[in-house]
Amino acid sequence: MLNLWEDELTEEEATALLDRIEHEIRKRKLEVPAIMFFEMHKPLANIAGNFALATSPFLVPIIGYKNVNDYSRLLSKRDNVEALIVRLEQKRDSNQKSDSNIDAKEAP
């Protein structure tokens, strides 16, 4: 039998998973919808993690045991969801500032 959620995620594992999620969101240029989604569902983080655990027999063949285990543990904690939101907002804000600087230089 699979031992889902047997151990807590280490800080390094959580950071690596957050990096992967952030990269995939940015690659698809979905920062704003992702921020809205995570903000709306932040209070339900624990329920979402448990839902992933409950549906693991269906998810494991599709995305793999390690991914189901890691991401369900990561997203079940509200602090991790908040950290992801902050990361998405910070880089989005810095990109907007650099874009406005470029626009200001191009203006006559």
Side-chain angles (χ1 to χ4, degrees), residues 23-88:
H23 172 73
E24 291 298 323
I25 290 170
R26 290 194 188 286
K27 183 170 76 172
R28 292 170 176 81
K29 299 191 186 305
L30 294 172
E31 292 94 340
V32 174
I35 290 169
M36 289 177 55
F37 175 82
F38 286 119
E39 282 288 353
M40 287 188 305
H41 294 89
K42 191 173 20 173
L44 303 174
N46 191 28
I47 295 170
N50 286 317
F51 180 75
L53 186 63
T55 59
S56 64
F58 305 106
L59 294 175
V60 167
I62 298 168
I63 61 173
Y65 167 76
K66 183 170 178 11
N67 287 332
V68 170
N69 190 34
D70 290 346
Y71 287 111
S72 64
R73 288 186 296 164
L74 178 77
L75 297 176
S76 69
K77 296 201 184 303
R78 201 173 190 173
D79 295 338
N80 292 332
V81 175
E82 183 62 35
L84 179 59
I85 293 168
V86 168
R87 292 172 119 199
L88 291 171

Side-chain angles (χ1 to χ4, degrees), residues 11 20 72 94:
E11 189 66 32
R20 285 178 57 190
S72 64
S94 66

